[in-house]
Amino acid sequence: AEPVTAPPPRQEIPPPAAPGPLETELAGALADMDAGRLDEAKTRLEKLAALPSPSEERESARYSLAILLARPGSPGRDVSRARDLLEEVLADYPGAPREMGARLILSLLDAEESFRRQIDELRAQVAASGSESDDLKAALAQREAELRRIKEILLGRAGGS
């Protein structure tokens, strides 16, 4: 008969660690952002983004704040600051999971800036052509008036001769 061996002792899995204060603050900021409380989210994210040492919370805060600041129609929109934050994320955390998203947002901001410049140029051309058109209309009106005077002179000579 084989000896009976006792089963190995059960390994107790420790419960997950309670989130730290930075994780809790980040979760609150993201919840504010999702709920549309953008001013509150921005304030919380600014504090986390300003942390002096690199951390997951700082990276996430910078990335999330950049998204918030880059959003069209956002009351506190600041494309320059959003661009700076995204470039910091790329420089400080190369190969991070958010790298592709950061590069995509930067390329969209570049495209938006390019389109805005094109629109401004077109508006300037339209304004210039409108001004040019007004000048041409004035010149035409002046020529028509001169032509009427010439006709009157010619008619007066033809009738009076």
Side-chain angles (χ1 to χ4, degrees):
E2 289 187 29
V4 177
T5 58
R10 286 183 57 191
Q11 294 281 340
E12 290 293 321
I13 299 174
L22 295 178
E23 289 176 88
T24 302
E25 185 66 14
L26 179 61
L30 296 177
D32 285 342
M33 200 167 152
D34 289 342
R37 295 184 299 269
L38 303 182
D39 288 337
E40 293 89 342
K42 182 180 177 204
T43 300
R44 293 171 101 169
L45 291 170
E46 287 281 6
K47 288 178 189 173
L48 290 167
L51 290 171
S53 57
S55 67
E56 169 62 29
E57 291 81 11
R58 184 175 84 169
E59 176 197 1
S60 185
R62 287 179 177 184
Y63 183 79
S64 298
L65 182 58
I67 291 171
L68 181 65
L69 295 173
R71 286 176 55 171
S74 179
R77 188 165 198 235
D78 184 346
V79 173
S80 176
R81 175 93 166 102
R83 186 182 303 282
D84 290 345
L85 287 165
L86 291 169
E87 288 171 357
E88 287 173 15
V89 167
L90 292 172
D92 293 348
Y93 306 96
R98 294 178 181 89
E99 180 180 2
M100 186 160 41
R103 291 191 189 288
L104 174 64
I105 294 167
L106 284 169
S107 71
L108 291 172
L109 292 174
D110 288 343
E112 178 188 30
E113 186 177 318
S114 173
F115 290 143
R116 187 170 311 283
R117 275 194 309 272
Q118 290 174 13
I119 288 169
D120 290 345
E121 288 171 11
L122 289 171
R123 283 188 176 142
Q125 289 174 2
V126 166
S129 69
S131 174
E132 187 177 300
S133 175
D134 291 344
D135 291 347
L136 290 173
K137 286 178 185 176
L140 179 61
Q142 182 180 2
R143 298 296 183 266
E144 288 174 339
E146 290 172 2
L147 183 59
R148 277 193 301 274
R149 281 195 298 267
I150 291 171
K151 282 183 181 179
E152 289 171 1
I153 293 170
L154 291 174
L155 290 175
R157 285 190 184 165
S161 24

